[in-house]
Structure formats: structure tokens, C-alpha cells
Amino acid sequence: MNGRAVPLAGVMEVDLHGMTQYQAEIAVDAALRRANRSVYRVRVIHGYHGGRALQSMVRSRYAKDPKVLRIELGANPGETDLVLREY
């Protein structure tokens, strides 16, 4: 399911495994464009065992995005939630 956004009751997941930073940015941007009013967060699954380049890119790039209210770090270090609005 790499790169595909999957809706889960208000949460859209995007799996970035195996992508370059450029490809990952395109995938996350596409998910943010597709997020409608029923989506309140985009969960970005970037992993961390193979390095932290995607994790760093997601957390720095999208912390400044006007569509993102805030970033939340979950219990799993391989995921970052981009909160679009309060639930």
C-alpha cells in the first residue's frame, strides 16, 4: 500500500516506506489535498529503522504547512500525525 492514502474514521494514513524524500513529499502533499472535512488528521508512516531522513523531512516540512494545525508524535516512533483540525 505504499504511497496510498487510506481513510480510517477521520484519519488518513500514508505509508512512505521505500520512497525517496522527494516521492514522500509528493505523497503527503497529495494526501493533504485529498483530505476533506471528514479527515481531521493525516497519519504519516515513515518508519525509522532504515534511517530517519523521512521522519526528519516530514516533521520539519509539515510543521510549517498552513493546512497543518500541529504535529503529534505517537507511541510508535515510525509514525507522525499531521493534525488538520480538532476532532
Side-chain angles (χ1 to χ4, degrees):
M1 217 181 288
N2 284 352
R4 298 199 55 201
V6 179
L8 296 169
V11 179
M12 181 183 288
E13 288 189 348
V14 181
D15 187 346
L16 306 181
H17 283 93
M19 293 185 183
T20 65
Q21 288 185 34
Y22 178 73
Q23 292 167 329
E25 190 170 346
I26 289 171
V28 175
D29 285 346
L32 288 173
R33 279 192 309 275
R34 284 192 312 268
N36 57 28
R37 284 296 295 160
S38 66
V39 175
Y40 68 96
R41 66 176 57 209
V42 174
R43 178 162 295 138
V44 181
I45 304 167
H46 44 66
Y48 71 100
H49 287 298
R52 297 186 186 254
L54 291 179
Q55 179 188 63
S56 297
M57 182 278 293
V58 167
R59 291 178 181 179
S60 64
R61 159 75 173 83
Y62 294 99
K64 303 170 197 153
D65 191 291
K67 294 179 183 176
V68 177
L69 182 63
R70 70 177 180 279
I71 288 181
E72 287 187 1
L73 312 178
N76 181 346
E79 297 178 356
T80 301
D81 283 1
L82 308 178
V83 178
L84 309 181
R85 63 184 179 80
E86 296 300 332
Y87 180 67

